[in-house]
Amino acid sequence: MTADSRPRLRAVCLAGPSDSGKTTLVEELVPRLAEDDRVATVKSIHHDIEIDTPGADTHRHRTTGAETVVGITPELTFDITTRGKRDPPDELGSDPFGLGSGTDREPSEIREMRALASTLERLERRGYDIVLVEGFSASPLPTILVGDRSPADVGGPVIGRHDDGLETLAEAIRSVDPLEFERPAD
């Protein structure tokens, strides 16, 4: 399948209070979706954590000023980028959430949405078909409600609830409209 003919990225948010079962639902959905699609996940984390071992070469690369460090092991490849929710990239290749103008969102929420949009755009360029986003409940992405989350508490249209059944949810995810990212001219 060529880059032009492959389906574009579909992203769905899973929103609910802490300990409501969002991660468990992600664990159940990923294998079903991965049968036919390349699946990635994004997790909103509300506090800073150190994901690299202090003193390791990759940590040393990052702390000396590299904006992105990529580590490649025999089994995994990972990248650490210093541009998180507080300092997302200024320029997106496109604006799939309509953040460019006329928004009444708080500056911190705009930064968070830019960080998510930038990550989704990067995953789309890498050829993923579906991204499950845990958290980021204010995003305009189609949303599956988990626990007692109300539709009024999320930014996107509700496409399902955690108790709808895995096959129903998988079909709802596969049927959402793909995100629109601008493609560079050839």
Side-chain angles (χ1 to χ4, degrees):
M1 190 178 289
T2 68
D4 291 336
S5 66
R6 73 174 164 76
R8 288 184 291 212
L9 184 76
R10 289 164 171 74
V12 172
C13 180
L14 283 78
S18 294
D19 297 322
S20 61
K22 295 183 301 290
T23 300
T24 300
L25 185 55
V26 168
E27 290 174 321
E28 294 169 342
L29 284 168
V30 167
R32 289 197 188 313
L33 296 167
E35 290 172 3
D36 299 312
D37 297 293
R38 283 190 73 204
V39 179
T41 65
V42 174
K43 168 71 172 123
S44 176
I45 301 172
H46 301 290
H47 57 280
D48 286 329
I49 61 172
E50 180 56 63
I51 57 172
D52 200 5
T53 305
D57 292 348
T58 51
H59 185 267
R60 291 169 62 192
H61 294 189
R62 182 170 50 91
T63 57
T64 60
E67 185 174 314
T68 298
V69 175
V70 178
I72 302 172
T73 75
E75 297 293 324
L76 300 170
T77 298
F78 63 92
D79 65 72
I80 303 167
T81 302
T82 60
R83 310 297 298 265
K85 291 180 187 179
R86 287 189 195 110
D87 185 28
D90 291 330
E91 299 294 324
L92 291 171
S94 58
D95 190 7
F97 297 159
L99 298 171
S101 62
T103 182
D104 59 352
R105 295 178 186 254
E106 294 293 318
S108 62
E109 192 175 310
I110 291 172
R111 285 192 304 272
E112 188 170 299
M113 292 302 108
R114 284 192 184 285
L116 177 57
S118 174
T119 299
L120 293 173
E121 187 173 35
R122 189 169 60 250
L123 292 170
E124 193 267 348
R125 283 192 312 262
R126 291 179 182 174
Y128 288 93
D129 302 305
I130 295 173
V131 178
L132 299 180
V133 178
E134 184 178 336
F136 291 99
S137 61
S139 79
L141 294 173
T143 302
I144 296 171
L145 298 177
V146 181
D148 62 359
R149 183 69 54 153
S150 164
D153 295 335
V154 299
V158 175
I159 63 164
R161 294 187 169 272
H162 70 283
D163 55 2
D164 285 346
L166 293 178
E167 292 307 318
T168 299
L169 292 174
E171 183 56 36
I173 292 166
R174 286 187 174 112
S175 65
V176 301
D177 290 334
L179 290 173
E180 292 292 329
F181 293 103
E182 293 177 17
R183 300 206 186 278
D186 289 335

